[in-house]
Amino acid sequence: MKKHTCVAFLILCFPFAVFAQEAVKILLSDPDYFTDVSTFELKPGLSDGLYAVYKDSLFLTPVCSGRIENGNKSGTWTWFHENGLKLREIPYLNGSINGTLISYYPTGEVSAMTEFADGVKNGSMTRWYKTGEVCLEAHYLNGYPSGTWKFLTTEGDLAREENY
């Protein structure tokens, strides 16, 4: 019975072990991976897999992490504040930002959400004060401001509107 239990355990767990992948650890200063360190632009043609970029040689201070597929950023890339909390989450599809980019304050609260399509702002954008009150409700159409933008006070009252 023990032998059959062991075999069943291995059969069930083996597929997960095969797909478990550790991220490639990269130093932010490594010229082999970046075309421009100031903009964190990765070189084209990197191998598919998970990547984690660190600020220090001990790999203690993360800068960002995400996946490369077919040589392009894919899925959600997460960027980090100096304190280790999320700075922003950027959804990629075939190397372009696609979906809702979420930015965070260093304390962990959401500071902004902006919709993108094919690397261009396209859709709603909302920004919040650190207190959690909405600061700005806006809209973009093909990268340009569109519609009525509402600027709000820290109390949630309308401060002004701008039409585009």
Side-chain angles (χ1 to χ4, degrees), residues 33-131:
Y33 289 95
F34 296 96
T35 56
D36 185 354
V37 175
S38 66
T39 61
F40 307 106
E41 188 63 37
L42 291 168
K43 285 187 174 178
L46 293 176
S47 299
D48 289 359
L50 297 173
Y51 287 82
V53 180
Y54 291 86
K55 195 171 200 171
D56 61 296
S57 60
L58 296 175
F59 301 109
L60 297 175
T61 309
V63 174
C64 67
S65 63
R67 174 174 292 286
I68 297 286
E69 288 182 5
N70 300 317
N72 295 309
K73 289 180 182 174
S74 182
T76 300
W77 276 70
T78 304
W79 297 81
F80 300 94
H81 284 284
E82 289 282 332
N83 65 9
L85 293 178
K86 291 179 191 175
L87 169 64
R88 77 182 46 95
E89 294 175 306
I90 306 175
Y92 285 92
L93 180 65
N94 299 321
S96 293
I97 301 173
N98 258 309
T100 304
L101 184 153
I102 305 171
S103 298
Y104 298 86
Y105 286 110
T107 50
E109 294 86 8
V110 174
S111 64
M113 295 176 77
T114 307
E115 294 178 10
F116 281 78
D118 297 321
V120 177
K121 290 179 183 177
N122 202 17
S124 66
M125 178 180 70
T126 305
R127 291 188 179 173
W128 288 268
Y129 290 107
K130 289 182 180 180
T131 59

